Amino acid sequence: MTRLLDDIFAELGLSRYLDAFVDQGFDTWDTILDIQESDLDALGVKLGHRRKLQRRIANARGIAPSVSLASVKSTTDEVKPESSRRESSRLDGNSEGSGVTKRKYRRHPKPDENAPERPPSAYVLFSNKMREDLKGQSLTFTEIAKLVGENWQSLDPTEKETYESQANAAKEKYHRDLAEYKKTPEYRRYSHYLHDFKEKQAKHMKVGTPEVTPRQHE
C-alpha cells in the first residue's frame, strides 16, 4: 500500500475502509481508479462515503463529478471496439466457457460507528496543514501529494517532532476515550455483533470459505 493511498483515504475521511480495500486488491490509487459500483457495494461503502471517493476519481480521470462510475463504465463500453469489449467481458468473468470468475470478496464486519475515531498520524497532521497552505494553487491532487511527501522527508527533525508530539497526544486521548467507550451499552452491543459475526464465519469455514478475522479496537 502506498502512502498516497493512505493520504487520500485520510483526507476523504474514509480510513475505516482502507484495510478492506487493500485486502481485496485495491492497494494502489491506479487500481481504485477502475473501481465499479458493484465493488463498492461488496466492500460495504456507504452511499455518502462512496460519492466522496467517486468525486475524487472523477476529478483524477477528468470526468464531471456528477457522473457516476456506473454511467462512466456504460459510456466507455459503448465506444470500445468489439475486441476490447470481449476482453473486458473475459476479465469480468462473463464470457461463456471462459472459466474466469468475478472477484470474490471476503466478508468484513461493519465498522463500529459509535467508537472514537482513530487518531491521525504525524504525517497526516503535516499533510493536512500543508494542504491548507497550498489551497488556491493550481495543483493536481497527485502533485500536492508528491510535494507533501517530499517536504515531509526533508522536514527539520525539530519540526517533525512537533507533529509527532501532536500525534502522540491524540493517540493518548483516543485510548482514554476508547477505555470510556468500552464501558457503554453501545460497545457491548458491538461486541455481541462481532461475536456472532465470528461464529457465522467459523461455520462458513467448515464448507471451505476463507477465514475472516475481524479487527477489534486496539
Side-chain angles (χ1 to χ4, degrees):
M1 179 179 66
T2 65
R3 174 166 281 176
L4 171 63
L5 194 58
D6 184 60
D7 201 18
I8 292 173
F9 273 63
E11 182 186 340
L12 295 176
L14 304 179
S15 295
R16 72 181 70 177
Y17 300 108
L18 186 55
D19 287 343
F21 271 67
V22 172
D23 188 54
Q24 298 301 338
F26 295 105
D27 53 358
T28 66
W29 181 237
D30 286 341
T31 57
I32 290 179
L33 285 176
D34 293 324
I35 201 167
Q36 300 297 323
E37 288 280 0
S38 58
D39 296 320
L40 296 171
D41 286 337
L43 287 163
V45 182
K46 291 186 175 181
L47 184 61
H49 293 157
R50 74 175 62 182
R51 293 302 173 242
K52 286 184 179 181
L53 180 59
Q54 287 175 325
R55 280 195 292 270
R56 175 55 53 77
I57 292 172
N59 180 62
R61 295 173 63 185
I63 299 168
S66 59
V67 179
S68 73
L69 291 182
S71 299
V72 171
K73 184 178 186 300
S74 298
T75 303
T76 305
D77 285 345
E78 288 174 3
V79 298
K80 278 184 179 179
E82 181 63 27
S83 59
S84 296
R85 286 202 297 271
R86 285 199 300 268
E87 177 65 11
S88 296
S89 295
R90 185 187 68 79
L91 293 175
D92 288 340
N94 294 330
S95 294
E96 294 182 6
S98 66
V100 180
T101 57
K102 291 184 179 180
R103 179 190 297 273
K104 293 183 178 180
Y105 293 91
R106 290 191 293 168
R107 290 194 60 203
H108 294 269
K110 63 184 179 182
D112 185 356
E113 296 181 350
N114 295 306
E117 188 173 346
R118 288 182 176 274
S121 65
Y123 176 78
V124 170
L125 290 172
F126 172 78
S127 173
N128 291 341
K129 171 65 168 58
M130 190 166 177
R131 288 177 189 283
E132 283 295 320
D133 295 341
L134 293 173
K135 270 187 176 179
Q137 298 190 30
S138 300
L139 296 171
T140 66
F141 180 85
T142 303
E143 289 171 336
I144 292 175
K146 183 179 179 181
L147 281 173
V148 170
E150 291 174 349
N151 279 270
W152 175 254
Q153 291 296 328
S154 61
L155 191 65
D156 182 87
T158 303
E159 291 186 64
K160 187 174 289 189
E161 186 177 345
T162 300
Y163 289 101
E164 290 172 347
S165 296
Q166 293 175 6
N168 287 333
K171 185 182 293 185
E172 290 175 3
K173 181 180 184 302
Y174 166 75
H175 285 299
R176 289 196 301 270
D177 292 344
L178 182 59
E180 289 300 315
Y181 173 63
K182 287 184 176 181
K183 301 174 184 177
T184 66
E186 288 80 5
Y187 176 75
R188 287 193 291 274
R189 281 196 293 270
Y190 186 74
S191 295
H192 291 154
Y193 159 75
L194 276 184
H195 177 74
D196 292 342
F197 183 92
K198 289 179 180 179
E199 285 194 339
K200 290 178 181 178
Q201 292 304 116
K203 290 178 181 178
H204 287 309
M205 277 288 292
K206 294 179 181 179
V207 293
T209 301
E211 180 181 6
V212 175
T213 304
R215 291 183 59 185
Q216 299 199 45
H217 303 297
E218 297 175 356

